[in-house]
Amino acid sequence: MNDESDNFDDLSPFKHLVYCTRCCLPSTSEDIGFDEAGICKACESSEEKMKIDWHKRQGDLKKILESAAKSSKDNYDCMVPISGGKDSAFQLHILTKKYKLKPLAVTFSHNWYSKTGWDNLWNVLEKLDVDHIMYTPKRSLVNRLARKSLPAIGDSCWHCHAGVLSFPLHIAVKFGIKLLVFGESSAEFSSRDTFLSQKLDLGCASKMYDVFMKISVQKGPEKMVSKEISRDELVMFFPPSKKDLDKNNIKAIYLGDYIFWDQERQTEFLVNEYGWKEDKVEGTYKRYKSVECKMPGVHDYAKYIKRGFGRATDFVSQDIRAGLMTREEGFKIAKKIDAERPKALDYYLKITGYTEEEFLDILKKMRKGSAKKLP
């Protein structure tokens, strides 16, 4: 299928875009592909997920974690990069309660924490009784990076994309921690991989960083250095060298590759077990994803302007795959919410100095392919 297909969908918000025939993801979703029936990889992956022997995979996970604990000796058994969001809170629970490990929790603070997110982070750390390290970049640097981020990668959040992996890797090298444990699998929602097409192994962290840089960060920290941003201010955003990562034999896994990942049930569990809090999140009808941040609405609104869909489309597509709503219901919800201007945009414009017209103009100039025809 291609972006110029005449097979338009009467339900879809933009008639010139091609949409997955099963969910609501459009052809402007990065790296998306459709099979001969017009089904995206995320939908294919959701079917594969039901056929996986998760009992066997949990056995594989147990061996990995036992090996990590055995080799750690007096050190931390592993590291959990934690924001206080639902995924990292659940990761920490699984490792400490189910597998009885001694993890080090490490937080890259985007310096945009919401009160709910701040409360969730410290509540989980206290109740699970783990050691914790946090790095928070100074406010002026965050503001300058937020301005440069928009023309560089098309959203406001370069510093978070880069710091959320770079800083934990620095800590892993410094403290000799051999295993990093992340949350949901890349095959879960991304439309880049499926569960059966991905190579499941104990990946080297240097290779993971390469993939992370290409997909999420897009521009390396050296590209952010300018008259306004000095190289020494970005020291935590430059990752350890591949040589150091490989020398220290640092590995990384996603729990979602080894246990059945169900964000609705996991969130319900966290709320009941630990008093984890939900709240209104701009850009979506869900009350948990990115609740720790003040700015997801700006990130997702930028995606809507650039690609014609936002986080509401992502979530309705997930709910359609889970059988929680019909595709028609999904399109109606996404069409209404994706286009809503977030209140947080006022704050973003204030700290960056952009006008709203400049914000929109920068993003529209970054449109590619069929997205160029968006209004």
Side-chain angles (χ1 to χ4, degrees):
M1 300 183 68
N2 60 64
D3 289 349
E4 304 304 325
S5 170
D6 291 330
N7 185 23
F8 297 154
D9 193 320
D10 291 338
L11 300 173
S12 59
F14 300 108
K15 303 307 177 186
H16 68 283
L17 300 184
V18 174
Y19 290 81
C20 173
T21 55
R22 184 165 294 173
C23 72
C24 298
L25 285 183
S27 52
T28 52
S29 180
E30 191 169 13
D31 294 333
I32 197 171
F34 302 106
D35 68 12
E36 56 277 5
I39 298 172
C40 72
K41 284 186 178 179
C43 286
E44 291 178 16
S45 192
S46 69
E47 291 186 9
E48 293 176 357
K49 187 176 177 180
M50 303 303 168
K51 303 173 184 177
I52 291 171
D53 185 347
W54 290 106
H55 181 73
K56 180 182 180 303
R57 288 206 179 189
Q58 286 189 52
D60 295 338
L61 174 64
K62 183 178 180 181
K63 291 176 183 177
I64 291 170
L65 297 179
E66 286 178 346
S67 177
K70 185 176 180 180
S71 63
S72 67
K73 297 181 180 179
D74 295 328
N75 198 359
Y76 296 103
D77 297 324
C78 62
M79 176 196 294
V80 177
I82 182 169
S83 65
K86 63 175 181 58
D87 290 341
S88 55
F90 186 73
Q91 291 157 232
L92 206 59
H93 162 80
I94 289 293
L95 294 172
T96 57
K97 297 300 185 182
K98 180 176 177 63
Y99 292 102
K100 310 300 180 184
L101 296 188
K102 182 176 68 175
L104 175 64
V106 175
T107 300
F108 170 81
S109 167
H110 36 61
N111 212 336
W112 284 339
Y113 261 98
S114 66
K115 183 180 184 305
T116 299
W118 195 248
D119 290 346
N120 282 339
L121 174 63
W122 293 106
N123 177 55
V124 168
L125 291 171
E126 288 286 329
K127 289 185 176 178
L128 290 175
D129 195 30
V130 296
D131 290 352
H132 176 244
I133 293 176
M134 174 185 280
Y135 162 60
T136 306
K138 60 189 178 186
R139 177 68 63 190
S140 66
L141 177 61
V142 170
N143 293 352
R144 284 175 278 142
L145 286 172
R147 178 179 174 85
K148 193 169 181 65
S149 178
L150 192 69
I153 64 170
D155 73 47
S156 55
C157 305
W158 179 90
H159 75 291
C160 193
H161 298 322
V164 75
L165 184 59
S166 181
F167 177 62
L169 289 178
H170 279 293
I171 298 302
V173 170
K174 182 175 180 61
F175 289 93
I177 300 172
K178 304 300 184 185
L179 180 64
L180 277 66
V181 182
F182 294 92
E184 68 185 25
S185 169
S186 61
E188 192 72 39
F189 310 125
S190 71
S191 250
R192 297 186 182 95
D193 296 310
T194 69
F195 280 104
L196 298 184
S197 67
Q198 66 178 357
K199 184 178 180 181
L200 187 60
D201 59 9
L202 193 56
C204 177
S206 63
K207 293 180 181 179
M208 174 180 284
Y209 190 80
D210 287 342
V211 174
F212 196 77
M213 284 292 294
K214 179 182 178 182
I215 294 173
S216 184
V217 181
Q218 301 180 46
K219 302 286 186 180
E222 67 281 353
K223 299 293 186 181
M224 306 303 283
V225 176
S226 64
K227 291 181 180 179
E228 294 79 26
I229 302 169
S230 64
R231 185 182 179 89
D232 63 342
E233 289 181 293
L234 298 178
V235 63
M236 289 299 181
F237 296 90
F238 281 90
S241 68
K242 291 183 181 180
K243 182 178 179 181
D244 283 339
L245 293 174
D246 294 339
K247 179 182 176 182
N248 285 272
N249 195 30
I250 298 172
K251 307 292 186 180
I253 61 170
Y254 292 91
L255 277 185
D257 285 330
Y258 297 93
I259 63 176
F260 190 93
W261 205 256
D262 185 334
Q263 59 183 4
E264 298 286 344
R265 292 187 65 187
Q266 288 164 198
T267 302
E268 183 179 357
F269 169 80
L270 291 170
V271 170
N272 294 333
E273 186 74 13
Y274 295 109
W276 193 87
K277 301 175 184 176
E278 299 181 82
D279 203 353
K280 165 69 176 175
V281 179
E282 290 190 302
T284 182
Y285 57 99
K286 302 283 187 179
R287 293 173 57 84
Y288 52 69
K289 182 67 173 177
S290 298
V291 72
E292 68 273 11
C293 183
K294 297 177 181 179
M295 298 291 279
V298 176
H299 175 277
D300 297 317
Y301 186 61
K303 183 168 77 170
Y304 172 75
I305 298 300
K306 190 170 60 174
R307 300 182 183 276
F309 76 103
R311 184 167 295 195
T313 292
D314 293 330
F315 276 127
V316 298
S317 295
Q318 293 166 26
D319 283 347
I320 291 165
R321 294 181 203 118
L324 299 177
M325 67 174 62
T326 66
R327 189 166 178 264
E328 181 178 8
E329 290 170 334
F331 272 126
K332 287 179 179 179
I333 293 170
K335 188 174 183 178
K336 177 181 183 298
I337 298 177
D338 279 347
E340 291 178 350
R341 180 192 185 278
K343 294 179 181 178
L345 181 58
D346 293 330
Y347 174 73
Y348 176 77
L349 298 176
K350 178 180 178 181
I351 66 172
T352 60
Y354 286 126
T355 64
E356 189 160 350
E357 183 179 359
E358 289 172 329
F359 174 85
L360 295 173
D361 187 54
I362 289 170
L363 294 169
K364 288 178 180 180
K365 287 179 178 177
M366 301 181 80
R367 290 172 174 173
K368 298 178 182 178
S370 57
K372 291 181 178 180
K373 297 181 181 179
L374 291 170

